[in-house]
RNA sequence: GGCGACGUACCCAAGUGGUUAAGGGGCGGGUUUGCAAAACCUGUAUUCACCGGUUCAAAUCCGGUCGUCGCCUCCA
């Protein structure tokens, strides 16, 4: 049986108990990218948010059908393709390939379906025809417009009132400014398809209505996307889909907050302040990016600044290091016996581990509160580290921290964090950070070698001066019982 | 002009009626160490933008003020 949960619904502006249309099953449609340029950190927040949400639902035994579209027919694609001197659909395909590489590198699972506008034209035309039949749309000069006043519920999602809108656009047969295009008559040099109204292409909003109903049916459970899509995109989708089918569209509307830049403005290509996810993944491991998004509640705005990713990376490293310590512990006793004989800090690991699932799930079941859920992970990591300071922990603590390791694997299964092999992750951190600072690994290793010789000769002055030299390169040297280790100090991006 | 969101420490941030206001980053002190680093301990908000109100009780509810942001044109 899937676990019940609560979820904020933009329609009601409240957190509500989630109830599926079909028991145990969730149909989810998320607005994906318009593929005219690389995926940036703002888009990636939406991708990670919904990927993680799906991941969690499946972890909790829901059967989920996850659909995320590509908008591959669009003004900006046409304009950009013209600049590059290639076909719009060729540009779109290229960007879709890049997108797939990027989300794979980010560690996202593939959606169950990824419909595209260009291969959904038949369904779109059928839906437009149906809207005309049902009196919600009118054709004029090869264009088809949605008659907003024919749909009394218009504005239910966004709170907008038709008469209060600023949009002054009229023309091409449009009757009132707030009506919007379902079908646009073709212009020279644009991709176009045959239709009952002449050659043309779909308007922006109709694609999602058509693709969602094809993949998930006229009514489905959850529709997601960025907060900036609430109006007009999602409002228009509701008008189209419900106008065409006569029944309810998405039952829940789930919107993620936007990235905000230091000045307070949102990140966006039109703002000229976007960081591509491709560039970021050169500098930081995917899990640091993931944690950066998940450390805040998905509906809150998320501030972006120079320290955002370095801070997130420091957090992920902290968790991996706790896992590393736990994995290094040995022993064959029963966990309870170890706890009993090794004292309060040992007992605390056991207690926290056993209380973990309940707290962790409670947070995520309450409107997907990843921020709160992660706080329990950090508490557990601290308890493990505290226990690890005990002399006997390494030899006898194994069975005890096995419980904590089980919790970390829950975190991976539910949120996609901490799943990597520890040493592999640490290597990735070193490589990416060294690359970011332009330091060669061999230089570090030869200095460390030199220092080792000095230390063996108890030449502390020489050893320390080498350490200072490394320090100046942001390399932190750690002398441990097991030998010399080193880390890259995490500095601003 | 219309619609909506938000304002919690140096920074990020959870908390939405009732124990000492989670967690992370940073910074200060300590344990440890050849010295360091890491880890751990400890200090960093008697207070939640401001002003009123409701209540036995509010960061949490209501009203107002100020400030910030998003949408209304393409936007995750």
């Amino acid at each position: 049986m899937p676990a019940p949960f609560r979820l904020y619904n933009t329609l009601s502006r409240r957190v509500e108990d989630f109830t599926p249309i079909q028991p145990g099953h969730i149909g989810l449609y998320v607005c994906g990218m318009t593929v005219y340029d690389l995926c940036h950190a703002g888009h990636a927040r939406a991708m990670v948010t919904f990927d993680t949400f799906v991941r969690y639902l499946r972890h909790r035994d829901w059967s989920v059908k996850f659909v995320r579209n590509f908008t591959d027919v669009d003004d900006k694609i046409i304009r950009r393709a013209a600049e590059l001197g290639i076909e719009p659909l060729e540009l779109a395909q290229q960007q879709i390939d890049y997108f797939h590489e990027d989300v794979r590198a980010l560690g996202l699972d593939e959606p169950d379906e990824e419909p595209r506008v260009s291969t959904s034209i038949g369904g779109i035309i059928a839906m437009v025809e149906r809207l005309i039949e049902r009196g919600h749309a009118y054709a004029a000069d090869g264009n088809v417009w949605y008659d907003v006043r024919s749909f009394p519920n218009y504005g239910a999602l966004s709170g907008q009132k038709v008469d209060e809108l600023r949009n002054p656009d009229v023309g091409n047969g449009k009757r009132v400014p707030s009506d919007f295009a379902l079908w646009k008559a073709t212009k020279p040099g644009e991709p176009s398809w045959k239709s009952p109204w002449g050659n043309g292409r779909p308007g922006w909003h109709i694609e999602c209505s058509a693709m969602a109903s094809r993949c998930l049916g006229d009514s489905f459970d959850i529709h997601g996307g960025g907060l900036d899509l609430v109006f007009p995109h999602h409002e228009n989708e509701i008008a189209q889909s419900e106008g065409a089918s006569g029944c309810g569209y998405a039952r829940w509307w789930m919107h993620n907050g936007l990235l905000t830049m230091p000045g307070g403005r949102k990140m966006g290509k039109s703002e000229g302040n976007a960081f591509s996810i491709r560039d970021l993944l050169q500098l930081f491991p995917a899990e640091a990016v993931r944690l950066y998004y998940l450390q805040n509640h998905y509906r809150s705005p998320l501030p972006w600044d120079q320290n955002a990713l370095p801070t997130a990376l420091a957090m992920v490293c902290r968790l991996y290091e706790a896992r590393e310590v736990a994995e290094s512990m040995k022993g064959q006793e029963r966990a309870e016996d170890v706890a009993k004989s090794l004292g309060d800090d040992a007992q605390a690991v056991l207690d926290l581990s056993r209380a973990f699932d309940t707290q962790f799930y409670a947070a995520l079941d309450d409107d997907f509160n990843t921020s709160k859920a992660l706080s329990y992970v950090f508490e557990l990591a601290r308890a493990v580290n505290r226990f690890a300071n005990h002399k006997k922990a390494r030899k006898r603590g194994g069975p005890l921290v096995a419980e904590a390791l089980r919790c970390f694997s829950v975190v991976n299964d539910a949120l996609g964090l901490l799943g990597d092999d520890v040493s592999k992750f640490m290597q990735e951190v070193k490589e990416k950070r060294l690359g970011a600072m332009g330091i060669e690994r061999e230089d570090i290793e030869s200095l460390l070698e030199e220092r080792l010789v000095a230390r063996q000769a108890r030449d502390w002055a020489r050893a320390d001066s080498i350490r200072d030299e490394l320090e100046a390169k942001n390399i932190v040297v750690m002398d441990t019982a097991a030998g010399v280790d080193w880390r890259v100090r995490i500095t601003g991006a």
Side-chain angles (χ1 to χ4, degrees), chain A residues 271-326:
Chain A
E271 310 275 334
N273 56 13
F275 287 79
S276 80
I277 207 66
R278 174 160 294 232
D279 289 345
L280 292 174
L281 288 176
Q282 289 288 109
L283 305 173
F284 297 94
E287 288 196 35
V289 179
R290 235 183 142 88
L291 185 70
Y292 162 63
Y293 295 127
L294 265 22
Q295 69 181 322
N296 271 28
H297 187 90
Y298 73 91
R299 283 193 284 120
S300 303
L302 179 57
W304 173 272
D305 65 58
Q306 292 296 91
N307 293 321
L309 251 19
T311 300
L313 177 56
M315 291 168 81
V316 186
C317 287
R318 179 173 166 73
L319 296 177
Y320 265 102
E321 282 159 23
R323 235 192 77 197
E324 184 175 39
V325 166

Side-chain angles (χ1 to χ4, degrees), chain A residues 421-440:
Chain A
D421 179 71
V422 175
S423 61
K424 192 169 153 241
F425 178 80
M426 296 300 187
Q427 285 308 317
E428 187 189 354
V429 173
K430 281 179 182 173
E431 272 162 36
K432 290 191 168 167
R433 298 317 295 162
L434 287 178
M437 297 189 302
I439 299 173
E440 292 297 327

Side-chain angles (χ1 to χ4, degrees), chain A residues 32 59 82 128 210 213 217 261 272 303 318 320-321 345 462 487:
Chain A
H59 173 74
V128 175
S213 73
M261 301 303 286
R318 179 173 166 73
Y320 265 102
E321 282 159 23
D345 289 344
R462 176 74 190 130
R487 304 258 166 80

Side-chain angles (χ1 to χ4, degrees), chain A residues 466-484:
Chain A
I466 294 170
R467 188 172 62 201
D468 291 345
E469 196 180 327
L470 286 161
E471 179 82 28
K473 295 177 190 282
N474 281 316
I475 302 302
V476 180
V477 180
M478 303 162 68
D479 300 320
T480 70
V484 179

Side-chain angles (χ1 to χ4, degrees), chain A residues 65-121:
Chain A
K65 183 170 182 187
F66 174 32
V67 179
R68 185 180 62 208
N69 74 293
F70 286 114
T71 296
D72 63 351
V73 178
D74 161 89
D75 291 347
K76 280 180 291 193
I77 299 173
I78 293 167
R79 199 185 318 134
R80 177 65 57 88
E83 285 165 18
L84 297 170
I86 59 176
E87 288 300 310
L89 285 173
E90 189 187 340
L91 171 64
Q93 182 59 52
Q94 191 184 84
Q95 290 299 327
I96 287 172
D97 293 341
Y98 289 152
F99 178 85
H100 279 140
E101 286 170 22
D102 290 345
V103 292
R104 207 171 301 129
L106 253 182
L108 306 196
D109 292 331
E110 283 179 26
D112 297 295
E113 287 194 56
E114 293 186 299
R116 306 179 187 189
V117 180
S118 63
T119 55
S120 307
I121 302 294

Side-chain angles (χ1 to χ4, degrees), chain A residues 157-264:
Chain A
L157 180 69
S158 63
Q160 299 289 338
K161 295 179 205 71
V162 171
D163 301 330
E164 305 285 354
L165 298 176
R166 255 186 186 172
N167 182 358
D169 269 12
V170 219
N172 296 320
K174 192 167 40 161
R175 289 178 192 158
V176 297
S178 47
D179 287 353
F180 58 91
L182 298 173
W183 189 262
K184 297 176 174 180
T186 189
K187 290 183 209 141
E190 291 186 357
S192 68
W193 289 265
K194 276 195 197 120
S195 82
W197 317 283
N199 284 357
R201 61 185 170 100
W204 174 35
H205 316 293
I206 191 70
E207 57 182 77
C208 284
S209 285
M211 293 186 284
S213 73
R214 191 188 77 213
C215 299
L216 296 169
D218 288 334
S219 297
F220 58 94
D221 298 292
I222 306 174
H223 189 129
L227 199 57
D228 52 353
L229 295 178
V230 172
F231 190 88
H233 187 56
H234 291 333
E235 193 70 63
N236 291 354
E237 273 189 67
I238 295 173
Q240 291 163 343
S241 293
E242 299 193 351
S245 72
C247 64
Y249 187 47
R251 287 156 54 101
W252 258 263
W253 285 88
M254 182 175 174
H255 292 104
N256 64 275
L258 306 179
L259 249 59
T260 53
M261 301 303 286

